[in-house]
C-alpha cells in the first residue's frame, strides 16, 4: 500500500483539508518515490492558528531556555542516530551525491546543538543602574509566530537553520518545505513528534509556494517570515509581508565571483573553481558562478578547467563514484538549457558542456558547462542560473577585478584566491558581499553569519546574528515606586 505522507499541525499528523495528493519524483530516475498530501489555504490557516495559540497561550515562550535546549538536543541526538537514513533519503529526493547529503545531515545536527546551547548563553538580561534612581532592564524575547519557507537545494539543512534558532529563542513555527523536496522535512517532523514538543509549537505545512506559501507571507497572525529562495519570489514575499510589517529575513539569490590571481598554482585554481561552481550541480545560493581570472593565468586556467570539467563523474547520487548528480527537476533542466542558448546568442564562447549529459535516458542530468568571452552586461553574467554553468572573465589589474566582481545586483558571497595574503584581504575588503572566502570556498560555519548584501537578501542566519533574528529586544525602565515628577506645576 502506498504511504501518503501527511502534514503535522497542532501536534498531530493530518491529511489536511483537501484530498489532493502530490507525487514526489526522484530526479535521478524520474520515478515516483513518494506521495504527500498537498496543503491548501485552509491548512495554512490551521497551521498559523495552531502556532498563534501555542505562542499566545501556550507554555513554550515562557519555558526556561535550558528546557528548550533539552528538546533541541534530543532532536539533534535522534537525527544523528538516523543520519544514514536521512542522507539516503535526501539523495533520493534531491539527486545530490550521497557525500553531500552526509555533510548536510551532519551540519543539521550541529545547527540544532549550536542554537540550543547558544540560546542559554546569549538570552541574558542586562541591567543598567542610573543616577536618576531608575534601573534599565534589557531583555530578549521571542518574536512570536514565525513562518519559514525553504527551497529544494538543501531541504534538511535549511530546515535546521530555520527551526533551530527560532525554537531555541522561544518562538512557534510554521515550516514549509519546497513542494519538490518535502521528504526529509517530513521525516524530521517524525522525530519532532517523538521528542514531544508541545502541540502547535512546530508545524509542518505542505503544498506549493504560490498557494500556501503566500498565505504565510500575508497572514496578519504571523509575526515573522523567514524565506530562502530566489530573488523574484523573495520580492513577492517581502511585498506580502508588508501588510502587517512582519519582521523579515530573506536569503536570496547570488551570482558570486571567484577572483583568481596569477600567483595561484593553476591546478589549485581549477580545483577550487570546479568545487565552487559544481557542488550540488551549481544549485547553491553561494555557487561561485563567475570565475574572474587574472590575465597571465587565463589561457592556462581555461584550458585546464575544460579538461577537468569533462572528467567529472556524473550519475545517480547513490553510486559511490558519483561526483555530480542530476538537476532537481525538468524545469531546472530546461532553464539551464535556455541559459546556454542565451549565452550563445549573446556571443559568449562555449568552453565545455552545454547540453544534457549523454548516456542518461532518464534523470535531469546536465554536463558541467562553462563560457568564456563573457562581458559583464550579458544575461549569463548577471542572472542567477542555478545550474552547472560557469562564466569566466579576464581581468588585468586589481581595480578591474573588483569592478567585475561587484558588477551585479547580487552580493551574497565571493572568493579570492591568491598566495599574497595582503592583496587577498585588500580585495576582500572592497567586495560588496556578505560572505567572503579567501583561498577556500563554500563551507558554512554554524557560528559565523550567513547572508547577503544588495539583492541577495536581508538579515543573517547562523551565529549570534542568526539567533538575534528571532528575538525582540525589550527595554524596561524601572523606578522603585511611583513619585510625582513635577514637570507641570500642580495648582
Ligand atoms: P522559489 O524561490 O520560487 O522557491 C523557494 C521556496 O519558496 C519554495 O518553498 C517555494 O515553494 C516557495 N514559494 C514559491 N512561491 C512563493 C510565494 N509566492 N510565496 C511564498 N513562498 C513561495 O524557487 P524556485 O524553485 O521557483 O526556483 C526558481 C529560481 O529561484 C531558481 O532557478 C534559482 O535561481 C532561485 N533559487 C534560489 C535559491 C537560493 O537559495 N538562492 C533556492 C531556490 C531557488 P514551492 O517550491 O513549494 O513552490
Amino acid at each position: 500500500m502506498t504511504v501518503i505522507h501527511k502534514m503535522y499541525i497542532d501536534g498531530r499528523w493530518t491529511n489536511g483539508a483537501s484530498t489532493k495528493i502530490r507525487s514526489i519524483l526522484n530526479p535521478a530516475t524520474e520515478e515516483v518515490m513518494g506521495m504527500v498530501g498537498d496543503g491548501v489555504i485552509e491548512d495554512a490557516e490551521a497551521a498559523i492558528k495552531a502556532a498563534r495559540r501555542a505562542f499566545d497561550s501556550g507554555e513554550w515562550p515562557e519555558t526556561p531556555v535550558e528546557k528548550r535546549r533539552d528538546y533541541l538536543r534530543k532532536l539533534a541526538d535522534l537525527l544523528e542516530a538516523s543520519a544514514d537514513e536521512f542522507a539516503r533519503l535526501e539523495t533520493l529526493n534531491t539527486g545530490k551525491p550521497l557525500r553531500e547529503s552526509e555533510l548536510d545531515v551532519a551540519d543539521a545536527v550541529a545547527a540544532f546543538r549550536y542554537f540550543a546551547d547558544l540560546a542559554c548563553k546569549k538570552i541574558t538580561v542586562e541591567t543598567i543602574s542610573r543616577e536618576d534612581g531608575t534601573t534599565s532592564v534589557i531583555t530578549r524575547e521571542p518574536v512570536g509566530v514565525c513562518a519559514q519557507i525553504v527551497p529544494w537545494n538543501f531541504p534538511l539543512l535549511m530546515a535546521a537553520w530555520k527551526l533551530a534558532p527560532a525554537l531555541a529563542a522561544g518562538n512557534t513555527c510554521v515550516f514549509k518545505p519546497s513542494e519538490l523536496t518535502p521528504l526529509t522535512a517530513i521525516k524530521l517532523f517524525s522525530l519532532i513528534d517523538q521528542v514531544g514538543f508541545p502541540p502547535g509549537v512546530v508545524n509542518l505545512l505542505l503544498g506549493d509556494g504560490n498557494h500556501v506559501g503566500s498565505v504565510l507571507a500575508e497572514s496578519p497572525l504571523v509575526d515573522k517570515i523567514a524565506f530562502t529562495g530566489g530573488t523574484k519570489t523573495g520580492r513577492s514575499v517581502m511585498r506580502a509581508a508588508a501588510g502587517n510589517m512582519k519582521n523579515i529575513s530573506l536569503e536570496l539569490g547570488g551570482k558570486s565571483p571567484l577572483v583568481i590571481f596569477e600567483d595561484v598554482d593553476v591546478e589549485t585554481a581549477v580545483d577550487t573553481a570546479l568545487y565552487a561552481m559544481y557542488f550540488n550541480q551549481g544549485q547553491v545560493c553561494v555557487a561561485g558562478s563567475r570565475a574572474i581570472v587574472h590575465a597571465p593565468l587565463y589561457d592556462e586556467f581555461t584550458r585546464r578547467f575544460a579538461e577537468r570539467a569533462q572528467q567529472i563523474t556524473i550519475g545517480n547520487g547513490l553510486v559511490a563514484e558519483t561526483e555530480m548528480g542530476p538537476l532537481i527537476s525538468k524545469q531546472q533542466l530546461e532553464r539551464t538549457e535556455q541559459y546556454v542558448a542565451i549565452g550563445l546568442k549573446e556571443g559568449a564562447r562555449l568552453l565545455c558542456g552545454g547540453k544534457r549529459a549523454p548516456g542518461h535516458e532518464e534523470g535531469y542530468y546536465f554536463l558541467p558547462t562553462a563560457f568564456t568571452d563573457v562581458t559583464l552586461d550579458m544575461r549569463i553574467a548577471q542572472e542567477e542560473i542555478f545550474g552547472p554553468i560557469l562564466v569566466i572573465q579576464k581581468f588585468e589589474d586589481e581595480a578591474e577585478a573588483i569592478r567585475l566582481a561587484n558588477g551585479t545586483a547580487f552580493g551574497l558571497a565571493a572568493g579570492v584566491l591568491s598566495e599574497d595574503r595582503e592583496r587577498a584581504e585588500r580585495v576582500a575588503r572592497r567586495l560588496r558581499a556578505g560572505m567572503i572566502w579567501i583561498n577556500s570556498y563554500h563551507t558554512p560555519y554554524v557560528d559565523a553569519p550567513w547572508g547577503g548584501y544588495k539583492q541577495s537578501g536581508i538579515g543573517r542566519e547562523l551565529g549570534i546574528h542568526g539567533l538575534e533574528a528571532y528575538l525582540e529586544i525589550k527595554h524596561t525602565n524601572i523606578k522603585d515606586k511611583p513619585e510625582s515628577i513635577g514637570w507641570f506645576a500642580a495648582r
Side-chain angles (χ1 to χ4, degrees):
M1 203 180 71
T2 319
V3 178
I4 298 168
H5 296 288
K6 300 181 180 192
M7 286 173 266
Y8 188 79
I9 296 177
D10 213 5
R12 275 178 295 117
W13 294 100
T14 167
N15 287 322
S18 106
T19 51
K20 270 177 38 188
I21 286 167
R22 180 183 297 277
S23 303
I24 304 301
L25 299 186
N26 175 346
T29 61
E30 300 179 46
E31 284 164 4
V32 174
M33 56 162 303
M35 307 286 269
V36 302
D38 209 14
V40 291
I41 291 172
E42 290 79 356
D43 300 314
E45 286 168 347
I48 293 167
K49 274 189 197 138
R52 189 74 265 166
R53 208 177 316 113
F55 188 81
D56 292 341
S57 36
E59 73 235 41
W60 188 252
E62 300 295 328
T63 300
V65 66
E66 291 77 15
K67 198 160 168 213
R68 293 202 298 261
R69 173 192 61 197
D70 296 343
Y71 280 92
L72 289 170
R73 284 203 141 256
K74 180 141 184 239
L75 181 57
D77 292 346
L78 291 174
L79 181 57
E80 192 171 47
S82 40
D84 291 347
E85 285 171 42
F86 271 91
R88 212 183 132 76
L89 185 61
E90 197 73 312
T91 285
L92 283 169
N93 198 176
T94 62
K96 65 173 71 185
L98 195 56
R99 62 180 181 173
E100 295 185 19
S101 297
E102 286 166 354
L103 279 180
D104 289 358
V105 180
D107 285 353
V109 170
F112 282 116
R113 292 207 175 117
Y114 170 75
F115 282 109
D117 293 344
L118 188 72
C120 294
K121 281 188 230 140
K122 297 290 177 187
I123 304 184
T124 49
V125 177
E126 295 158 50
T127 54
I128 305 168
S129 299
R130 305 193 172 283
E131 283 181 5
D132 67 2
T134 68
T135 304
S136 282
V137 180
I138 298 154
T139 46
R140 284 167 177 78
E141 298 182 352
V143 175
V145 173
C146 300
Q148 304 177 306
I149 300 176
V150 302
W152 38 260
N153 53 348
F154 293 88
L156 178 73
L157 185 59
M158 291 301 103
W161 282 17
K162 296 261 180 299
L163 292 171
L167 293 170
N171 299 277
T172 61
C173 300
V174 179
F175 177 80
K176 195 202 92 65
S178 165
E179 60 183 310
L180 299 175
T181 55
L183 297 182
T184 46
I186 294 169
K187 197 169 164 63
L188 180 70
F189 270 76
S190 71
L191 303 185
I192 284 172
D193 187 47
Q194 214 176 313
V195 171
F197 285 82
V201 165
V202 50
N203 303 277
L204 172 68
L205 174 67
L206 302 175
D208 93 277
N210 272 327
H211 290 97
V212 298
S214 56
V215 177
L216 300 181
E218 270 163 32
S219 172
L221 299 179
V222 171
D223 300 300
K224 175 181 176 94
I225 184 123
F227 170 84
T228 298
T231 294
K232 188 164 165 246
T233 310
R235 200 171 282 124
S236 88
V237 165
M238 191 169 174
R239 266 193 219 106
N244 67 327
M245 292 288 176
K246 285 181 186 63
N247 178 316
I248 189 160
S249 298
L250 300 173
E251 207 268 84
L252 307 176
K255 192 78 185 174
S256 301
L258 176 65
V259 178
I260 303 171
F261 281 98
E262 42 64 44
D263 59 6
V264 183
D265 162 58
V266 73
E267 292 303 320
T268 306
V270 168
D271 175 75
T272 310
L274 290 168
Y275 175 62
M277 178 66 252
Y278 299 132
F279 188 86
N280 200 17
Q281 296 73 245
Q283 304 168 131
V284 185
C285 54
V286 295
S289 53
R290 294 185 295 142
I292 298 177
V293 185
H294 212 166
L297 194 70
Y298 183 85
D299 289 343
E300 184 63 357
F301 176 87
T302 49
R303 190 185 63 75
R304 277 301 283 152
F305 188 91
E307 283 171 6
R308 291 279 311 272
Q310 288 169 65
Q311 290 162 5
I312 290 176
T313 308
I314 299 173
N316 188 313
L318 289 180
V319 175
E321 293 72 36
T322 294
E323 295 176 316
M324 224 176 108
L327 302 188
I328 189 68
S329 64
K330 186 159 178 279
Q331 196 190 345
Q332 281 302 117
L333 184 67
E334 287 171 356
R335 185 183 151 96
T336 305
E337 283 179 315
Q338 278 163 19
Y339 271 103
V340 171
I342 291 168
L344 291 171
K345 197 159 167 232
E346 288 177 315
R349 190 173 74 83
L350 191 61
L351 178 70
C352 56
K355 56 178 196 279
R356 295 181 190 208
H360 295 277
E361 295 307 312
E362 285 90 33
Y364 310 122
Y365 295 95
F366 202 82
L367 288 176
T369 298
F371 278 106
T372 57
D373 299 357
V374 176
T375 55
L376 195 54
D377 57 339
M378 289 180 184
R379 284 182 63 192
I380 56 166
Q382 288 293 328
E383 297 175 14
E384 183 179 52
I385 298 173
F386 230 60
I389 301 184
L390 177 71
V391 299
I392 306 176
Q393 290 173 279
K394 196 193 300 188
F395 71 89
E396 298 293 338
D397 58 23
E398 232 172 89
E400 189 180 17
I402 292 163
R403 182 181 66 79
L404 292 172
N406 286 335
T408 75
F410 297 109
L412 191 55
V416 184
L417 299 187
S418 176
E419 293 275 348
D420 180 344
R421 174 82 180 271
E422 207 175 293
R423 166 163 68 182
E425 290 191 33
R426 186 168 63 236
V427 170
R429 277 194 297 276
R430 301 279 307 279
L431 297 179
R432 303 281 299 154
M435 291 165 288
I436 318 268
W437 288 279
I438 294 179
N439 297 331
S440 148
Y441 209 83
H442 267 315
T443 310
Y445 296 95
V446 73
D447 54 359
W450 181 273
Y453 286 22
K454 302 198 285 187
Q455 293 187 33
S456 290
I458 295 176
R460 295 292 180 272
E461 298 193 276
L462 302 185
I464 178 68
H465 307 91
L467 181 67
E468 280 168 355
Y470 286 96
L471 289 167
E472 290 281 14
I473 298 175
K474 182 179 276 179
H475 169 206
T476 311
N477 183 255
I478 306 171
K479 197 171 182 177
D480 274 348
K481 52 183 172 35
E483 279 171 344
S484 292
I485 293 167
W487 187 266
F488 296 106
R491 296 192 175 88

